[in-house]
Each structure stands twice: as C-alpha cells, then as structure tokens.
C-alpha cells in the first residue's frame, strides 16, 4: 500500500533497501515519540497526537492506493525529498480538516474514548472499502482518480458512522462524567468488543493482501465488484470470528491485550513485509505458497516489533505503564498508538512519499 514498484531490482537489493529503510523508519519514529512524550507528555501522545495522525490515515491510504501519491499532478515534477515533504504536508492538511469535523460532530466537543474508537474504526472501514472492494460503489460514478478518491473518503466516513451506530454500545461508560454530554451509540455489542473485533478483521484483511486475496481471486476477477469484495469480506469475518473466539472466549485473553499482541502487531508486520519490501518480496513464488511464506515472516516481524516497543515504552515515557483494565489499559494503548497511530504513517511516508529516500537514491 503506497510502496514503490520494483523496476528490476534483485531480491537481495530489495531486502537490503527494505531492512535499511526499516531502521530509518525506527530512528525517525523513536526520535519523534521521544520528543512528544518528553515535552507534551504520555497523555498527549496517546490522545491528541494519535488522534491527529489517525484522522489523516484514511486519506493517506486513499492517496497511496487511488492517487498513487501523484495527485495533484504538480507532485510528479518534484524530486526527492521535495515530493516527500509535499506529501507529508498534504497528510497534515487532511488532518487539520478532518480533526475538527469529527471533534465537533462525533466527539461533541470532547476527545473521548468513543471518538478515538470511531477514528480507529474509520481506518478499518477505509481499508476494506479501498483494498477489498476497490472503491466500490464510488467507482461506478467517478472515473477520474481525483474525484474517485475524495468521494471514496466521504463514503468511508458515512459507512463508518452507520456501522458505528449499529454495532457499538457504550453503556459501559454510563457512569463516567463525559457520557451524558457526548455522542454514545447504543448498538449491538460492547464498544470494546466491537473495536477489538473490527481490528481483528483488519488484520486478517492485511494477511489476505499478502495472499493476493487467494483463494477468492481464483474464483472472481478483481474487477467483479462488489462480488469480489463481499466474498472476501465474508471469509475474513468468519476467520476473524474463529480467531477472536479462540483467544478471547476459549483462552480467556483480555480483548485489549489480545488486540495489541495479535491484530495490531500483525497489521504492523504486514507493513514491514509489503511496503518496506516494495511489494516485491518472493515474487518468483506462486500463491498460496508466497503468501504463506510472507505471513510467517510477518509473524516473526510482529513478535520482534512488539518486544521492541514494549522495551521502548519506559524509555519514552519515563516509567512503566500498567496493563489491563485496572490500569486503564495504559500499556496497551501506548503500544497500539506507537505502532499504528504514528509508525504506520511514517512507513507510508518513507516507502510511498519519499520513495525510500535517502536509503535508495537515483
């Protein structure tokens, strides 16, 4: 998603550039997180900074997949790092537009857990609409990439609002002071359960991208929408139900702990295997073997990254954070914010926006 396309590099070159770029991403991310945590504090990092980044993440996904980081057209005349800086500027412009809209509508003028959950869910919905459904149904009406991208974003937020009202229930927050003053849907499921399951579905979707949507892609051509997207989504939901039930209901794992150690790390791992390897890793192997090998590498990367971020937490914050509901899920929220709230956009900046500059130069 948003990665550079290989134009003749060997697997050794791809891996070398990828590993060096991962180190570069980690250096930039750690420096940024340290500065924010030291000068603004851990609370600002997991709330306002993560909120600002995630508000622009659907735009960044659309920009990479639909616009191919080439709209507006003037971007194509820029060399690196000017093009990358311009794309970073567009990212923050999108954040400045979306942040107040969601803050004063869904948030009702308050940055609450409900608003944060809505923003996280908007990223999940954007991934499904853009990657699984190929921007359907907006693709039926919009032929130009510019209008297709903007229309898709509007559709994603509208669909997200409907799903949020139907499935999320926040009576668990009824005793908290903010509850009576904010938008709090009374949907079918506990809000924490709904959120953790949604992120689980997103992680299975990202694993499907490494499989090139095999076996669904053998049954339907990608352009056969919405059939392709609907069958893929149904299969993903079934797998997510099995995985979620295994860890949360049968093994009695806390939903937030499961989400961070499982789905969040897996999503992060797919970015390392896909984006940072220019979507060209193991190109000589056919599916499903290629996808299965990638998933194994993804799981190894996910485990190592979780250990790294767990080790970094007290260094960034200054002290360890408690885990679990009694501690307000402090540790889980920080790691999830660090991985997906901050590092994911930086991965997209390095791989798509800057085209791996300065690691890879023409």
């Amino acid at each position: 998603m948003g990665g550079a396309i290989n134009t003749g590099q060997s697997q050794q070159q791809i891996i070398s550039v990828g590993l060096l770029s991962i180190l570069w991403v980690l250096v930039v991310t750690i420096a940024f997180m340290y500065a924010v945590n030291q000068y603004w504090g851990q609370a600002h990092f997991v709330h306002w900074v993560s909120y600002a980044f995630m508000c622009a993440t659907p735009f960044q996904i659309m920009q990479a997949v639909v616009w191919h980081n080439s709209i507006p057209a003037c971007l194509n005349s820029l060399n690196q790092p000017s093009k990358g800086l311009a794309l970073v500027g567009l990212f923050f412009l999108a954040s400045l537009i979306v942040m107040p809209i969601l803050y004063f509508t869904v948030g009702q003028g308050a940055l609450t857990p409900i608003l944060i959950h809505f923003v996280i869910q908007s990223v999940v919905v954007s991934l499904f609409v853009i990657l699984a459904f190929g921007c359907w149904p907006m693709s039926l009406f919009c032929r130009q990439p510019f209008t297709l991208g903007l229309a898709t974003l509007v559709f994603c937020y509208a669909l997200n609002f409907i799903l949020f009202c139907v499935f999320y229930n926040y009576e668990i927050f009824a005793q908290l002071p903010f509850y009576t003053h904010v938008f709090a849907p009374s949907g079918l499921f506990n809000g924490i359960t709904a959120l953790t399951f949604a992120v689980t579905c997103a992680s299975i979707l990202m694993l499907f991208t490494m499989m090139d949507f095999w076996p669904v892609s053998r049954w339907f051509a990608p352009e056969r929408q919405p059939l392709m997207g609907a069958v893929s989504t149904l299969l993903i939901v079934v797998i997510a139900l099995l995985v979620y039930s295994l860890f949360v209901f049968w093994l009695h794992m806390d939903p937030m702990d499961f989400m961070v150690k499982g789905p969040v790390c897996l999503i992060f791992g797919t970015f390392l295997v896909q984006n940072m390897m220019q979507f060209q890793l193991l190109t000589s192997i056919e599916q499903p073997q290629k996808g299965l090998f990638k998933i194994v590498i993804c799981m190894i990367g996910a485990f190592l990254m979780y250990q790294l971020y767990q080790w970094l937490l007290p260094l960034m914050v200054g002290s360890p954070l408690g885990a679990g509901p009694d501690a307000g899920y402090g540790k889980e929220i920080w790691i999830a914010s660090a991985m997906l709230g901050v590092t994911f956009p930086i991965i997209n900046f390095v791989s798509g926006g800057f085209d791996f500059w300065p690691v890879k130069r023409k």
Side-chain angles (χ1 to χ4, degrees), residues 95-113:
S95 181
L96 290 174
I97 294 171
V98 175
M99 279 181 66
I101 294 175
L102 297 184
Y103 182 77
F104 289 108
T105 54
V106 177
Q108 298 289 292
L111 185 60
T112 66

Side-chain angles (χ1 to χ4, degrees), residues 55-78:
C55 278
T57 299
F59 171 81
Q60 191 180 44
I61 296 169
M62 181 281 296
Q63 184 185 57
V65 179
V66 182
W67 288 359
H68 303 293
N69 295 311
S70 297
I71 292 179
C74 60
L75 291 172
N76 297 319
S77 63
L78 299 177

Side-chain angles (χ1 to χ4, degrees), residues 56-193:
T57 299
F59 171 81
Q60 191 180 44
I61 296 169
M62 181 281 296
Q63 184 185 57
V65 179
V66 182
W67 288 359
H68 303 293
N69 295 311
S70 297
I71 292 179
C74 60
L75 291 172
N76 297 319
S77 63
L78 299 177
N79 294 321
Q80 296 296 358
S82 299
K83 181 178 180 179
L85 292 172
L87 288 167
V88 172
L90 286 176
F91 174 86
F92 284 106
L93 176 61
S95 181
L96 290 174
I97 294 171
V98 175
M99 279 181 66
I101 294 175
L102 297 184
Y103 182 77
F104 289 108
T105 54
V106 177
Q108 298 289 292
L111 185 60
T112 66
I114 298 173
L115 176 57
I116 296 295
H117 291 184
F118 181 88
V119 174
I120 295 172
Q121 166 99 349
S122 71
V123 177
V124 174
V125 170
S126 300
L127 287 170
F128 271 90
V129 170
I130 295 173
L131 299 182
F133 284 88
C135 298
W136 186 93
M138 294 299 103
S139 57
L140 298 176
F141 314 105
C142 304
R143 299 300 179 184
Q144 297 300 320
F146 179 76
T147 54
L148 174 61
L150 294 182
T152 298
L153 282 179
V154 173
F155 174 76
C156 286
Y157 279 109
L159 177 61
N160 184 54
F161 184 80
I162 295 171
L163 294 174
F164 202 67
C165 291
V166 171
F167 293 106
Y168 285 69
N169 187 306
Y170 285 102
E171 292 179 0
I172 53 174
F173 294 150
Q175 304 304 317
L176 298 180
F178 67 80
Y179 184 79
T180 57
H181 306 291
V182 300
F183 164 70
S186 301
L188 298 174
F189 303 103
N190 174 294
I192 300 294
T193 302

